[in-house]
Amino acid sequence: MEPGDAARLGPERVVRALPPRLLLLPLLPLLLGQGLRAAASASSSGAAASDSSAMEELATEKEAEESHRQDSVSLLTFILLLTLTILTIWLFKHRRVRFLHETGLAMIYGLIVGVILRYGTTATSGHDKSLSCTQEDRAFSTLLVNVSGKFFEYTLKGEISPGKVNSVEQNDMLRKVTFDPEVFFNILLPPIIFHAGYSLKKRHFFRNLGSILAYAFLGTAVSCFIIGNLMYGVVKLMKIVGQLSDKFYYTDCLFFGAVISATDPVTVLAIFNELHADVDLYALLFGESVLNDAVAIVLSSSIVAYQPAGLNTHAFDAAAFFKSVGIFLGIFSGSFTMGAVTGVVTALVTKFTKLHCFPLLETALFFLMSWSTFLLAEACGFTGVVAVLFCGITQAHYTYNNLSVESRSRTKQLFEVLHFLAENFIFSYMGLALFTFQKHVFSPVFIIGAFVAIFLGRAAHIYPLSFFLNLGRRHKIGWNFQHMMMFSGLRGAMAFALAIRDTASYARQMMFTTTLLIVFFTVWIIGGGTTPMLSWLNIRVGVDPDQDPPPNNDSFQVLQGDGPDNTRGNRTKQESAWLFRLWYSFDHNYLKPILTHSGPPLTTTLPAWCGLLARCLTSPQVYDNQEPLREEDSDFILTEGDLTLTYGDSTVTANGSSGSHTAPTSVEVGRRMKSSAEEVLERDLGMGDQKVSSRGTRLVFPLEDNA
């Protein structure tokens, strides 16, 4: 188009006639301005987003740092509590103060710290709002929440009643000192239970084995059902008077009966040990408490597994009842087998390896094998408490003989220290939990009813069983012993751990609060009255556990029984359980030689056609005259210090002395070994006047005294 054509076409035609690129020229300033503004806006938006992200990361780092600091403060709090407890214990021992045990001290210090944390610290966090998920009919253990395109993970802490939604704990420090219940079961309980089995006074334990089993199994079951039924009546009363605000079933009452039946007379036993109280009374109380914990936890698991068919899952159903009984027997026997097998495996490893040349590795392996027993049993659906208890007993009876001198000392001291720290940690936490735990349900009627039910349940546990046991015991359990056992039914770490393991429902929260108060009362009041009770009941103290009691001691007369048998010297020694008599010969002749470096050679006890196997399993140390054959654990069932063992052309005594003589035949060796074993058993069981007949490798004992 020529320049003159524009005048003829007019402005509109000119615009239409212009090429597109020329039409854009006037719009360039406008487009450029808009583009610059858009770019600036995008740049400012990106910068704002970047700044926001940076601020969020900085806030997250600060929260993580603050959380780490609070974790350190909470752990430091418990360490300082234990430190203060230890120093006070030293002061009490120095001043010979016995009215308060170390566990009671730990609880007092825990209470003081709990009050300070509850009322001396302010809220440091808050809850913005609650979100409703009305479409879901159950709670999820983990939730992923989408917040503006970002996903956040939340874990389930537990159910909160509608009336307590606005009073949820907003103090981060109090949240930090509230531990996961699994910490108690997987970390704190194993060393306590293992130490109980590893340090068991087996000599007196096995002599009273029948009575201990009766108290632990039958007595705990009786106590559980009596307490459960009485508490069900209390619950019905609470419902009538309008003090029950939620569901509380009969199975919940039975569960509470199982939990609170777990006795822990740690205070009484500590005073017994310090005063050297009567060894039989100590054995009965300690043995009952050790096995009682195992029975209580299996019993509670069986009650939880009780599921009747039909709509009413809390009604009585015979099929479900017998199923629960089967579950109880299965769990207990499986846990027992797993603990014993782990101990046997450890004994074989320490026997057939040269680990004793490296005491550090030996101690580490012993520790890991023992602790893994608990976790293995829990992973397989059994009860770790039962497994680790019998693992400790097996380790003490067999593995301990194979350890080097350094490892024996290390393992004893290691588990003793772990037991002391774990137990005092739990009792400190009990005091702390009274003020820091947020799900307490205080019911005066339930608490008073629980105290009455526990008293009646303990009485039904001790007195009727003692009556029936005395019918078959040569050495009776006197009334003063029975009163002391009734008085010593303290509750402690196991009851607390079972109660705190599940606090989701209203019934379980009330059980936990009541259990906590019962532990406080029994440890402080009953534990503090142990020494006066010993004096009032005229129970002997200052007793040498390895010395026979004098036959004319009036304070011990109640145990020995009346009649001329009291004048028979060693025959007045403590009861030897018939179960122990049955298995001792087999253990001494076969298990000890297979699993340890002690005992008679298997070549003298096994049949001739097992000669190759006997030579492979018998330890070379048995034939080595340089190594004494004495078991150095003074707590073992029998002291073989007087055994004289004959191998080859030398006679090896317990003190390591040897002498040459004419080599006897293998038959003579076997006879001497069996005769020595019988003499040891006869001497240690205090049956010097009784007739012992030998039939092969079996020992036959008359059940009654010979006139």
Side-chain angles (χ1 to χ4, degrees):
M1 183 177 67
E2 297 295 333
D5 296 337
R8 295 194 302 271
L9 295 176
E12 294 181 1
R13 296 178 184 268
V14 171
V15 173
R16 293 192 186 105
L18 288 174
R21 62 178 179 273
L22 295 178
L23 290 173
L24 291 175
L25 291 175
L27 299 177
L28 284 177
L30 180 61
L31 295 175
L32 184 60
Q34 292 178 350
L36 291 174
R37 285 194 296 271
S41 176
S43 176
S44 62
S45 177
S50 177
D51 292 341
S52 177
S53 178
M55 292 295 292
E56 289 181 0
E57 292 180 359
L58 183 60
T60 302
E61 291 178 358
K62 288 184 177 181
E63 290 180 0
E65 183 178 353
E66 180 66 18
S67 177
H68 173 72
R69 186 186 67 82
Q70 291 176 354
D71 288 337
S72 301
V73 172
S74 63
L75 291 177
L76 179 62
T77 300
F78 285 102
I79 291 177
L80 292 178
L81 278 175
L82 292 176
T83 304
L84 186 60
T85 302
I86 291 173
L87 293 176
T88 312
I89 291 171
W90 168 81
L91 181 62
F92 276 32
K93 289 183 178 294
H94 181 68
R95 300 294 183 183
R96 298 184 182 275
V97 177
R98 297 191 180 97
F99 68 88
L100 188 62
H101 188 247
E102 58 200 42
T103 54
L105 281 173
M107 294 172 68
I108 291 176
Y109 290 139
L111 281 172
I112 296 173
V113 174
V115 171
I116 295 174
L117 292 177
R118 164 57 59 190
Y119 302 107
T121 57
T122 58
T124 55
S125 66
H127 302 273
D128 295 332
K129 64 177 181 179
S130 60
L131 301 177
S132 299
C133 300
T134 56
Q135 297 179 354
E136 302 296 338
D137 57 352
R138 65 183 182 90
F140 296 93
S141 59
T142 304
L143 285 179
L144 293 177
V145 181
N146 186 351
V147 181
S148 301
K150 296 182 178 180
F151 289 89
F152 297 89
E153 181 181 3
Y154 294 85
T155 57
L156 179 67
K157 296 294 292 185
E159 183 182 0
I160 301 173
S161 60
K164 296 185 177 181
V165 172
N166 297 325
S167 61
V168 175
E169 182 55 60
Q170 298 185 9
N171 192 322
D172 285 339
M173 190 60 199
L174 295 182
R175 287 169 174 257
K176 293 294 183 181
V177 297
T178 303
F179 286 96
D180 188 338
E182 294 303 317
V183 172
F184 293 97
F185 263 82
N186 296 330
I187 297 178
L188 297 178
L189 275 185
I192 295 176
I193 303 300
F194 181 85
H195 178 264
Y198 195 52
S199 62
L200 189 67
K201 302 292 184 182
K202 287 172 283 297
R203 169 180 299 205
H204 305 290
F205 176 85
F206 282 101
R207 284 176 182 151
N208 294 277
L209 183 61
S211 301
I212 291 173
L213 291 177
Y215 285 127
F217 284 86
L218 187 57
T220 303
V222 169
S223 175
C224 168
F225 283 98
I226 288 180
I227 294 175
N229 284 279
L230 291 176
M231 292 312 299
Y232 187 65
V234 173
V235 169
K236 288 293 185 182
L237 177 63
M238 293 173 60
K239 188 175 182 180
I240 293 174
V241 299
Q243 292 193 8
L244 195 66
S245 58
D246 208 337
K247 298 177 181 179
F248 208 118
Y249 298 105
Y250 178 68
T251 52
D252 293 325
C253 296
L254 287 180
F255 179 81
F256 177 72
V259 167
I260 210 65
S261 295
T263 60
D264 186 14
V266 56
T267 304
V268 176
L269 292 176
I271 295 176
F272 278 13
N273 191 46
E274 185 177 354
L275 297 177
H276 299 287
D278 190 275
V279 290
D280 269 296
L281 179 59
Y282 184 94
L284 289 172
L285 273 177
F286 183 78
E288 182 214 352
S289 66
V290 167
L291 295 179
N292 165 271
D293 288 345
V295 174
I297 190 172
V298 179
L299 193 60
S300 63
S301 301
S302 302
I303 294 173
V304 171
Y306 177 78
Q307 294 180 348
L311 297 178
N312 190 357
T313 58
H314 296 276
F316 178 78
D317 187 345
F321 172 77
F322 287 109
K323 181 180 178 182
S324 295
V325 173
I327 291 175
F328 173 87
L329 297 176
I331 291 178
F332 195 93
S333 59
S335 303
F336 166 80
T337 302
M338 187 167 292
V341 167
T342 306
V344 167
V345 170
T346 310
L348 292 174
V349 170
T350 54
K351 176 183 178 180
F352 292 104
T353 61
K354 298 293 184 180
L355 274 174
H356 64 272
C357 299
F358 305 94
L360 179 61
L361 300 180
E362 190 178 36
T363 304
L365 178 67
F366 183 92
F367 175 80
L368 294 176
M369 291 289 290
S370 302
W371 200 306
S372 64
T373 305
F374 182 92
L375 301 177
L376 179 62
E378 292 289 334
C380 294
F382 297 111
T383 300
V385 170
V386 179
V388 79
L389 170 64
F390 287 100
C391 176
I393 296 175
T394 307
Q395 301 277 46
H397 192 54
Y398 298 113
T399 310
Y400 186 88
N401 290 305
N402 302 333
L403 301 178
S404 60
V405 176
E406 295 87 346
S407 295
R408 294 182 185 184
S409 176
R410 286 178 179 178
T411 53
K412 286 280 188 183
Q413 294 175 0
L414 173 63
F415 281 101
E416 185 177 6
V417 171
L418 290 177
H419 163 263
F420 173 82
L421 293 177
E423 189 170 60
N424 282 277
F425 184 94
I426 290 179
F427 279 94
S428 297
Y429 185 80
M430 288 185 197
L432 201 69
L434 187 62
F435 291 96
T436 60
F437 189 73
Q438 286 300 295
K439 300 178 181 179
H440 283 304
V441 177
F442 291 94
S443 174
V445 177
F446 190 87
I447 293 171
I448 296 174
F451 275 98
V452 175
I454 289 172
F455 177 83
L456 296 177
R458 184 68 179 174
H461 175 177
I462 296 298
Y463 295 115
L465 275 181
S466 299
F467 172 78
F468 288 109
L469 288 173
N470 282 337
L471 296 179
R473 285 178 62 110
R474 293 192 308 274
H475 311 303
K476 310 301 182 184
I477 303 174
W479 284 107
N480 57 347
F481 279 28
Q482 296 179 39
H483 295 329
M484 194 67 216
M485 294 180 68
M486 170 70 188
F487 180 80
S488 303
L490 285 75
R491 270 61 178 180
M494 179 57 68
F496 173 79
L498 287 173
I500 200 176
R501 197 173 192 181
D502 182 8
T503 56
S505 65
Y506 169 82
R508 297 298 176 88
Q509 293 167 8
M510 187 182 295
M511 293 180 201
F512 172 72
T513 303
T514 306
T515 301
L516 201 58
L517 295 178
I518 290 172
V519 172
F520 287 164
F521 177 83
T522 55
V523 170
W524 288 338
I525 305 301
I526 297 180
T530 301
T531 303
M533 185 62 69
L534 284 173
S535 177
W536 185 64
L537 293 176
N538 195 27
I539 294 177
R540 293 193 314 147
V541 295
V543 179
D544 184 0
D546 296 323
Q547 183 180 5
D548 290 337
N552 57 354
N553 192 316
D554 294 335
S555 64
F556 195 66
Q557 197 74 13
V558 292
L559 180 66
Q560 303 300 331
D562 298 329
D565 286 346
N566 292 329
T567 62
R568 293 189 180 181
N570 285 338
R571 290 181 55 188
T572 60
K573 205 163 183 176
Q574 293 89 343
E575 170 196 18
S576 61
W578 63 272
L579 290 175
F580 168 60
R581 302 182 190 182
L582 292 178
W583 80 279
Y584 170 77
S585 179
F586 178 77
D587 174 70
H588 179 78
N589 291 330
Y590 302 104
L591 294 183
K592 279 289 185 69
I594 292 175
L595 301 178
T596 69
H597 298 300
S598 62
L602 291 173
T603 53
T604 63
T605 57
L606 288 177
W609 56 270
C610 297
L612 179 61
L613 179 63
R615 286 191 294 271
C616 293
L617 294 178
T618 301
S619 174
Q621 283 86 340
V622 172
Y623 302 102
D624 188 359
N625 295 335
Q626 304 298 324
E627 180 128 354
L629 298 175
R630 180 182 178 183
E631 295 176 355
E632 298 181 9
D633 186 0
S634 60
D635 294 338
F636 271 22
I637 300 171
L638 297 175
T639 302
E640 296 181 341
D642 297 334
L643 274 177
T644 300
L645 307 181
T646 307
Y647 305 126
D649 57 353
S650 299
T651 300
V652 183
T653 61
N655 58 9
S657 62
S658 61
S660 299
H661 61 86
T662 305
T665 64
S666 60
V667 176
E668 293 173 350
V669 171
R671 289 176 179 173
R672 294 178 187 179
M673 287 298 306
K674 295 167 189 175
S675 176
S676 300
E678 294 165 2
E679 292 171 0
V680 171
L681 182 59
E682 178 184 354
R683 184 190 69 249
D684 284 338
L685 294 181
M687 297 182 297
D689 296 335
Q690 289 180 301
K691 180 181 179 181
V692 181
S693 59
S694 174
R695 300 177 182 177
T697 59
R698 182 183 177 187
L699 300 181
V700 181
F701 295 89
L703 296 179
E704 298 181 355
D705 296 338
N706 294 327

